[in-house]
Amino acid sequence: MWCAAAWLGDRGVVEGVRVVPAGDGTVASLEAGVPAEAGDTVLPGVVFPAAANAHSHAFHRVLRGRTHNGAPGSFWTWRESMYAAARQLTPELYEELATAVFAEMVVTGWSSVAEFHYVHHRPDGSPYGAGPAAAGSGTAESADGTDGPHAMELALARAAVRAGIRLTLLDTCYLGAGFGAPPGPDQRRFTDPSAGDWLRRFASLRKTVADRFPVSAVTVGAAVHSVRAVPPGALAEIARALPPEVPVHIHLSEQPAENEACLAATGLTPTGLLASTGLLTSRLSAAHATHLTAADIDLLGGAGATVVMCPTTEADLADGIGPAGDLQRAGARIALGTDQHAVIDPWIEMRALEHGERLATGGRPQFTPAQLLTAGTAGGLRAQGRPPAGLEPGAVCDVMAVDPRSVRTVGSDPEQLMYSATAQDVTDVVIGGVPAAHRGRHLGLGDPAELLVAVLGKMDGAGSGASRSDSHTNLGAAAP
């Protein structure tokens, strides 16, 4: 594989880089300042490490461009539209939807994703692989694997393998609707009866995935939905019981109302509560962390935790601008995620991280180009518990090539493409040393837009009998 130019870490962008991948998908060797040889795969433009998506909810892609009807709303009204989308999911439909979303990620430059997954059970809360549906088939698992234990989780795993993206499946503990509140009707399929029940299901899922998928393709991590969805005693139980090598993720202080409820119920901020229960360690990744106190920032930084910023989602949901710069200076690691997929574009997420800091501080720049790239690549891999990727011997050979001569990028310093490039400029994506995408087309699945058209059409009236226009209103309208 010969790169016209490539980002080589501290050396910056270097011309004429020839890479030899090993059989395991890592970089066996590389030379800089050399010409291509006969038979080389040639990557024009500038080659960077592939992006690592540290926070995703695949089914939220349904809502893109459909929640802005002009009525006043907030994160909490947007959530009602999300519940409407979740009600429609079956294992078969979710596999098709996730395949399309993961393919979109691949062609835009992401080679791995941490999927924060909480749609575990049937809509009535009964587990897959048990009850009348399974009994009617005469087996605990249907022939296609869509009605057995972990049906939804395995659907996501199959989707990732089909799309060729590396998946860290974050199986999420979700026990209630709020402090002392039982789950509501729309949350029943998210929840387990107790932390102990979730831990047993989590252990079973880890074994099942390990038995069926290579670790380079699919791994299982843990997540706690939020401090409002899991009581303090359960948080402590989870902290004690999870194996030390398992990455742990949580939504943290995304909304001021969460902080207020936590203070009223426990006398602590959400970050303080995590620290008191033993969950705040270097293996923790906190998504959003938008509304933090100075003490919260010191706690997250002192623990060496990762904070996953999702700038386009936080803007779309009017969450606010999190203190990314202060967190990094305090010792926290910064990663990036696409969350609800208002945008799936690593370059825009990098730039939005920097722009948010500029808006909040009135100064420019706040993050160097190298720091932005690290947030979009190595930061996400750390959050997933995956090894480094890029162009250095021994690293995983996951890279993306960017056109420096498009109408958006022409004239840019190659080492400052973070400030001008978008996913439209990603010409090639290589995963494990093997070409995966070229100029917006997935080399195995074709145009992701066509996949999305097919599956979104199936969701327009699924389970409701609504017309196309009625279902658009159902999924897109924010409640007043």
Side-chain angles (χ1 to χ4, degrees):
M1 187 172 71
W2 184 82
C3 312
W7 177 280
L8 298 184
D10 292 341
R11 297 170 64 183
V13 173
V14 177
E15 294 185 354
V17 177
R18 187 168 187 270
V19 181
V20 179
D24 63 357
T26 61
V27 175
S29 63
L30 107 172
E31 297 176 272
V34 298
E37 297 184 12
D40 285 354
T41 297
V42 174
L43 298 181
V46 183
V47 177
F48 294 89
N53 192 340
H55 191 69
S56 162
H57 302 288
F59 79 92
H60 290 192
R61 174 62 179 81
V62 175
L63 302 176
R64 183 189 295 178
R66 301 172 75 164
T67 61
H68 309 277
N69 68 346
S74 67
F75 167 85
W76 305 101
T77 54
W78 168 89
R79 193 173 67 159
E80 297 306 312
S81 297
M82 181 269 288
Y83 287 156
R87 283 195 294 268
Q88 301 185 57
L89 296 175
T90 64
E92 299 94 328
L93 192 59
Y94 205 5
E95 182 173 346
E96 185 177 355
L97 175 62
T99 299
V101 175
F102 292 155
E104 183 182 0
M105 289 183 194
V106 168
V107 303
T108 56
W110 309 93
S111 68
S112 64
V113 59
E115 179 65 22
F116 199 108
H117 167 68
Y118 50 81
V119 188
H120 303 302
H121 309 302
R122 298 191 184 100
D124 66 358
S126 63
Y128 287 98
S137 68
T139 62
E141 182 169 358
S142 58
D144 61 1
T146 58
D147 193 37
H150 312 304
M152 294 295 265
E153 292 74 27
L154 294 175
L156 287 168
R158 290 190 298 269
V161 170
R162 189 175 175 209
I165 198 166
R166 305 181 193 276
L167 172 67
T168 300
L169 180 59
L170 299 171
D171 195 80
T172 302
C173 182
Y174 197 130
L175 303 181
F179 291 94
D186 281 322
Q187 298 162 326
R188 286 179 299 198
R189 71 183 314 185
F190 307 162
T191 60
D192 292 287
S194 68
D197 288 293
W198 174 77
L199 284 163
R200 285 185 285 275
R201 188 174 58 74
F202 175 79
S204 171
L205 175 63
R206 284 190 81 205
K207 182 179 186 309
T208 299
V209 167
D211 288 345
R212 299 190 187 191
F213 302 96
V215 68
S216 60
V218 185
T219 60
V220 176
V224 172
H225 181 271
S226 57
V227 296
R228 68 178 185 273
V230 180
L235 294 174
E237 181 179 355
I238 290 167
R240 290 192 300 268
L242 283 176
E245 71 276 10
V246 173
V248 182
H249 290 229
I250 188 171
H251 294 122
L252 185 70
S253 291
E254 183 176 4
Q255 289 288 317
E258 175 186 328
N259 292 351
E260 294 162 7
C262 190
L263 281 166
T266 70
L268 299 168
T269 65
T271 302
L273 181 59
L274 293 182
S276 74
T277 59
L279 272 176
L280 182 52
T281 68
S282 61
R283 69 168 171 176
L284 183 77
S285 292
H288 307 301
T290 307
H291 302 281
L292 302 177
T293 67
D296 293 337
I297 292 170
D298 288 343
L299 284 170
L300 288 160
T306 297
V307 174
V308 184
M309 297 291 183
C310 306
T312 61
T313 287
E314 288 145 11
D316 184 73
L317 297 182
D319 286 343
I321 299 172
D326 289 342
L327 283 161
Q328 181 163 270
R329 287 186 286 272
R333 319 288 183 98
I334 304 298
L336 294 172
T338 57
D339 194 0
Q340 56 127 346
H341 313 308
V343 175
I344 294 181
D345 186 327
W347 298 93
I348 287 181
E349 297 294 348
M350 287 185 235
R351 191 148 61 252
L353 176 68
E354 169 64 15
H355 286 173
E357 279 293 289
R358 293 184 185 187
L359 289 169
T361 65
R364 61 187 299 273
Q366 297 296 314
F367 288 93
T368 67
Q371 287 173 328
L372 291 177
L373 184 65
T374 295
T377 58
L381 290 171
R382 182 179 186 272
Q384 295 177 41
R386 290 193 174 275
L391 295 180
E392 59 182 71
V396 176
C397 191
D398 290 1
V399 299
M400 56 178 164
V402 175
D403 182 0
R405 297 175 61 85
S406 77
V407 70
R408 290 163 295 278
T409 60
V410 65
S412 299
D413 183 327
E415 295 184 2
Q416 296 184 34
L417 284 168
M418 302 78 181
Y419 301 117
S420 60
T422 72
Q424 288 179 279
D425 304 308
V426 174
T427 61
D428 295 273
V429 179
V430 174
I431 300 179
V434 178
H438 178 65
R439 294 199 176 277
R441 290 190 65 84
H442 192 284
L443 295 183
L445 297 173
D447 184 354
E450 295 176 3
L451 303 178
L452 287 161
V453 165
V455 69
L456 293 176
K458 293 177 183 179
M459 294 193 72
D460 276 343
S464 67
S467 69
R468 179 173 292 267
S469 60
D470 288 340
S471 61
H472 277 227
T473 301
N474 177 45
L475 284 176

